[in-house]
Amino acid sequence: MTDLQRTATSGFENAFGSEPHGLWTAPGRVNIIGEHTDYNDGFVFPMAIDRRTVAAVRRRDDDRIRVSSSFSPEIVEVSVRALDPDALHGWSAYPLGVAWALGQFGAPLQEVPGVDIYIDSDVPVGAGLSSSAAIEASVAVALTEIWHLDHDRRTLAKICQLAENRAVGAPTGIMDQSASLLGRRDCGVFLDCRSLETDVIPLGFEEHDLELLVIDTRVEHAHVSGGYAARRASCEAGAAALGADSLRDVTVGDLDRARELLDDETFRRVRHVVTENQRVLDTVRTLREHGPTSIGELLVASHASMRDDFEISVPELDLAVETSMAAGAIGSRMTGGGFGGAAIALVPVALASSVAEAVTAAFAEASFTAPTIFPVRPAAGATRES
Ligand code: GLA
């Protein structure tokens, strides 16, 4: 049992006064490439990471569902028969939202037994590593088993996305939940967000002695409000003006026409998504043909597109990318929704500490808050642990 699983077990016992029946875990993720493409029906290529959330769960004999967590001392209690996405708030909206969303996908919530759930996690919150998807996925696999449901992982990703969209109120796509549910050791998850077809592709980081550094800028972001929804709205407006169902149907060859039809800002939003879809396809092909040391330029081009066209970077992320590249990284880019959060740098293991030191020094020089820098490994998706 890991330390985290042990603290989750004792947290459960302190909150509810008995032992959990089982522990289910799910990882956070970093996105290797494919940003703001998921809700445009496009392509993404994230990986699950070795930072996980634990859901310790015990079945009850009545209809109550109680949730508690290491994030806050409160215990939130509702009837599983009366779950209402509009009445959920705070962190408990994630686990309770998943229970509600399972009902939307056919779980007989009028019959299933109640549960006690305790959540603990070592996925940093607010860093763009999908701590929220990790909670959702851990609870989804736990309840699927306890309630004897038979949803496959792709359906569970949709269920978790529905929880995030309706119960939490964040208009996000399906990437994070898919990565958390489908990841595999040393692999990335190539996902077509239109068909939901997935291909789990070996990254070869272990064989090539590469490491992925997360550079958490500690500029906190949130997707419930602000820029994320505005970007999504621009993409939808751009697609409509071009007569497309979604930006998935617009190609690099259509961009000249798009420039004539769209205002400058909408055009640049569209250009980011269209070129980013192409970069995901190019990354997967390059990885297969030439291995992970050849994908660096695509990662850097993705960052430039988010900085200049989609305008979701911040000075801290740009500095993290520039400095890690100057210090010898193979590739680097911001990851996740943007407006803060983390950058990633793909580095040879031998250079990891000098890249980290260079970034830390550059942040100090710029008088930015010191970043938190740590390596992550591509890890397995959600699973039962005990
Ligand atoms: C957040 C969302 C994802 C995706 C990314 C941007 O992580 O949760 O669905 O849209 O931003 O690529």
Side-chain angles (χ1 to χ4, degrees):
M1 202 183 260
T2 64
D3 285 350
L4 183 66
Q5 291 168 25
R6 250 188 296 281
T7 58
T9 304
S10 56
F12 184 99
E13 288 165 3
N14 290 338
F16 301 122
S18 59
E19 283 183 7
H21 285 142
L23 301 180
W24 287 260
T25 69
R29 66 98 188 90
V30 296
N31 189 13
I32 300 168
I33 195 160
E35 222 66 84
H36 288 263
T37 46
D38 60 354
Y39 56 78
N40 287 301
D41 279 352
F43 303 108
V44 292
F45 188 46
M47 66 180 218
I49 60 175
D50 53 344
R51 295 287 188 117
R52 302 184 81 84
T53 290
V54 182
V57 185
R58 185 180 175 91
R59 194 181 44 255
R60 297 172 55 92
D61 295 329
D62 58 13
D63 69 331
R64 311 309 291 173
I65 173 161
R66 296 192 295 177
V67 290
S68 180
S69 73
S70 58
F71 320 127
S72 111
E74 66 174 338
I75 295 180
V76 178
E77 178 173 344
V78 289
S79 164
V80 76
R81 318 272 179 260
L83 283 164
D84 171 3
D86 295 321
L88 304 175
H89 22 236
W91 67 270
S92 68
Y94 295 95
L96 295 174
V98 169
W100 166 79
L102 282 164
Q104 298 299 299
F105 276 71
L109 295 187
Q110 297 311 312
E111 294 161 24
V112 295
V115 281
D116 288 335
I117 304 176
Y118 184 85
I119 307 274
D120 203 346
S121 181
D122 64 10
V123 185
V125 173
L129 300 179
S130 294
S131 53
S132 51
I135 297 177
E136 291 154 6
S138 63
V139 171
V141 290
L143 293 183
T144 299
E145 195 173 325
I146 288 177
W147 288 346
H148 304 297
L149 308 172
D150 59 3
H151 300 304
D152 62 19
R153 294 283 166 126
R154 288 191 212 170
T155 310
L156 286 183
K158 285 196 214 166
I159 289 167
C160 292
Q161 184 196 11
L162 178 63
E164 178 118 10
N165 292 166
R166 274 293 279 113
V168 178
T172 55
I174 200 165
M175 168 171 72
D176 307 339
Q177 295 78 9
S178 302
S180 186
L181 284 155
L182 294 160
R184 216 179 290 156
R185 181 178 165 171
D186 206 25
C187 288
V189 179
F190 173 48
L191 173 69
D192 176 338
C193 299
R194 173 170 274 170
S195 66
L196 294 187
E197 295 222 341
T198 48
D199 205 349
V200 178
I201 298 179
L203 289 167
F205 290 176
E206 292 180 11
E207 184 194 333
H208 289 84
D209 267 336
L210 301 179
E211 202 159 75
L212 203 63
L213 288 181
V214 169
I215 304 163
D216 176 5
T217 63
R218 301 178 55 208
V219 178
E220 283 216 20
H221 73 142
H223 297 323
V224 175
S225 58
Y228 186 95
R231 294 302 180 280
R232 190 169 178 154
S234 289
C235 292
E236 280 158 14
L242 294 170
D245 282 346
S246 75
L247 292 183
R248 164 64 177 275
D249 299 318
V250 181
T251 65
V252 174
D254 296 325
L255 286 175
D256 284 344
R257 188 175 68 95
R259 191 196 292 273
E260 279 164 24
L261 288 174
L262 304 174
D263 65 84
D264 177 61
E265 187 183 282
T266 311
F267 170 67
R268 287 184 295 111
R269 305 297 187 246
V270 167
R271 181 166 61 184
H272 164 70
V273 173
V274 170
T275 57
E276 185 79 348
N277 272 330
Q278 188 58 47
R279 280 186 290 270
V280 176
L281 298 175
D282 292 346
T283 300
V284 169
R285 186 175 32 79
T286 304
L287 186 65
R288 283 189 165 127
E289 290 174 5
H290 306 290
T293 53
S294 302
I295 65 172
E297 266 178 36
L298 289 158
L299 303 190
V300 173
S302 167
H303 185 79
S305 178
M306 289 186 282
R307 182 190 59 210
D308 302 335
D309 275 355
F310 219 58
E311 296 181 283
I312 53 170
S313 190
V314 295
E316 287 85 345
L317 288 166
D318 295 340
L319 185 63
V321 169
E322 278 156 32
T323 312
S324 54
M325 290 308 292
I330 290 165
S332 179
R333 60 186 283 281
M334 53 149 282
T335 187
F339 307 102
I344 51 170
L346 181 62
V347 294
V349 172
L351 285 184
S353 50
S354 54
V355 170
E357 276 160 27
V359 173
T360 304
F363 271 53
E365 172 87 359
S367 302
F368 292 156
T369 303
T372 309
I373 305 178
F374 52 91
V376 289
R377 270 164 285 276
T383 187
R384 181 170 189 161
E385 304 283 354
S386 69

